[in-house]
């Protein structure tokens, strides 16, 4: 079974500052890793994903994430945030074996202050 | 068309009512999913349909009844719900073999309130 831990439930930052949202995962098999964003009253939108290959993954809206197998982490970063980045961010893990399901972390609420 | 459309966007129902949630996609995806999301919580998987057949039921109570009449449509029939079933219900779709790798496409959800 897989599990995901998002280490921060809330992250407040000032506009144009850098941000890192932390995600650790646990799995006994190889996994795929994802970051989703959820704006208020919306569904989830895929930001980026790691399947294999380069450990630095670039996504939409200027976000990137780095897969670290030894630390079982997949932290999300953005060098300069905007007010429009205010949202809930979910890290998720999927297994290459077995059922086609994603397991989500508890979410991190990113709040951008002017 | 790269969207998953869910209707209605909001639904208020009594505990004795019967209602249905509808989800539609025209991306040619052959896997469709229902997720339930409580406030300030992550989405939780309820059901997975693959090639119009139910492949995963995450021990969901029988008052929730899914239906996949064709490859583009997914319904969730609701009956005798409880107030604690109030939540955002999200539909998603993907290709069956690449769903986990490709990521899902989510709809905007139906906000359900049970009174």
């Amino acid at each position: 079974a897989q599990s995901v831990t998002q280490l921060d439930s809330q992250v407040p930052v000032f506009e144009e500052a850098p941000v890192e949202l932390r995600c650790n995962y646990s799995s006994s098999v190889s996994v795929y890793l994802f970051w989703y964003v959820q704006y208020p009253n919306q569904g989830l939108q895929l930001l980026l994903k790691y399947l294999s290959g380069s450990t630095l993954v670039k996504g939409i809206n200027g976000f990137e994430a780095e897969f670290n197998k030894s630390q079982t982490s997949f932290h999300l970063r953005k060098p300069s945030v905007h007010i429009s980045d205010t949202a809930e961010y979910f890290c998720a893990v999927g297994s290459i074996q077995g059922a086609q399901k994603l397991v989500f972390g508890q979410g991190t609420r990113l709040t951008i202050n002017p | 068309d790269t969207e998953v459309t869910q209707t209605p966007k909001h639904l208020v129902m009594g505990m004795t009512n019967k209602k249905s949630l509808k989800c539609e996609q025209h991306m040619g995806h052959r896997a469709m999913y229902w997720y339930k999301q409580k406030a300030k919580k992550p989405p939780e998987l309820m059901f997975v349909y693959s090639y119009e057949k139910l492949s995963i039921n995450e021990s969901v109570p029988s008052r929730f009844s899914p239906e996949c009449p064709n490859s583009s449509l997914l319904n969730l029939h609701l009956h005798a719900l409880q107030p604690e079933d109030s939540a955002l219900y999200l539909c998603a779709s993907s290709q069956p073999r690449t769903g986990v790798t490709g990521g899902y496409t989510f709809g905007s959800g139906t906000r359900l309130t049970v009174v």
Side-chain angles (χ1 to χ4, degrees):
Chain A
Q2 298 84 40
S3 66
V4 178
T5 302
Q6 291 184 241
L7 299 166
D8 306 292
S9 60
Q10 297 185 63
V11 173
V13 296
F14 287 106
E15 194 172 16
E16 298 183 6
V19 69
E20 179 179 79
L21 306 184
R22 297 180 293 167
C23 172
N24 285 92
Y25 70 93
S26 173
S27 177
S28 57
V29 298
S30 295
V31 296
Y32 303 127
L33 293 159
F34 306 83
W35 275 99
Y36 282 86
V37 60
Q38 186 175 31
Y39 300 104
N41 300 313
Q42 295 290 319
L44 279 72
Q45 180 182 7
L46 181 65
L47 274 179
L48 48 78
K49 59 187 178 184
Y50 172 77
L51 306 180
S52 65
S54 174
T55 58
L56 183 62
V57 180
K58 293 189 182 299
I60 63 171
N61 302 341
F63 284 94
E64 63 180 31
E66 186 156 20
F67 172 64
N68 188 318
K69 188 174 182 179
S70 63
Q71 297 188 4
T72 61
S73 68
F74 190 56
H75 300 334
L76 180 71
R77 296 191 291 258
K78 186 170 182 178
S80 176
V81 295
H82 303 283
I83 292 287
S84 59
D85 293 321
T86 295
E88 191 82 20
Y89 291 79
F90 291 99
C91 183
V93 62
S95 172
I96 63 172
Q97 299 176 0
Q100 50 190 136
K101 56 190 287 187
L102 291 180
V103 176
F104 288 89
Q106 291 297 305
T108 297
R109 176 70 181 173
L110 177 62
T111 303
I112 311 301
N113 298 306
Chain B
D1 189 350
T2 58
E3 289 186 347
V4 174
T5 302
Q6 289 187 244
T7 55
K9 291 193 181 302
H10 301 274
L11 178 63
V12 179
M13 62 184 291
M15 289 187 284
T16 59
N17 292 159
K18 288 184 179 181
K19 297 287 184 182
S20 296
L21 310 185
K22 180 180 174 181
C23 174
E24 190 169 6
Q25 57 89 13
H26 295 289
M27 294 177 283
H29 289 169
R30 300 302 298 276
M32 297 185 76
Y33 312 80
W34 280 115
Y35 278 83
K36 174 182 178 180
Q37 187 179 24
K38 300 282 281 183
K40 301 186 187 302
K41 295 291 186 182
E44 296 178 351
L45 182 66
M46 301 174 72
F47 303 103
V48 179
Y49 272 83
S50 182
Y51 296 102
E52 295 86 68
K53 293 190 187 306
L54 184 64
S55 61
I56 297 176
N57 177 343
E58 292 286 280
S59 303
V60 179
S62 60
R63 58 185 184 268
F64 296 91
S65 177
E67 178 195 22
C68 190
N70 60 56
S71 60
S72 300
L73 281 175
L74 184 66
N75 298 319
L76 186 63
H77 303 298
L78 314 172
H79 174 54
L81 295 193
Q82 303 297 311
E84 57 264 29
D85 295 321
S86 298
L88 180 68
Y89 287 84
L90 293 164
C91 175
S93 71
S94 75
Q95 290 297 4
R97 292 188 180 276
T98 62
V100 175
T101 58
Y104 303 165
T105 301
F106 280 87
S108 297
T110 294
R111 177 78 59 188
L112 174 68
T113 303
V114 182
V115 297

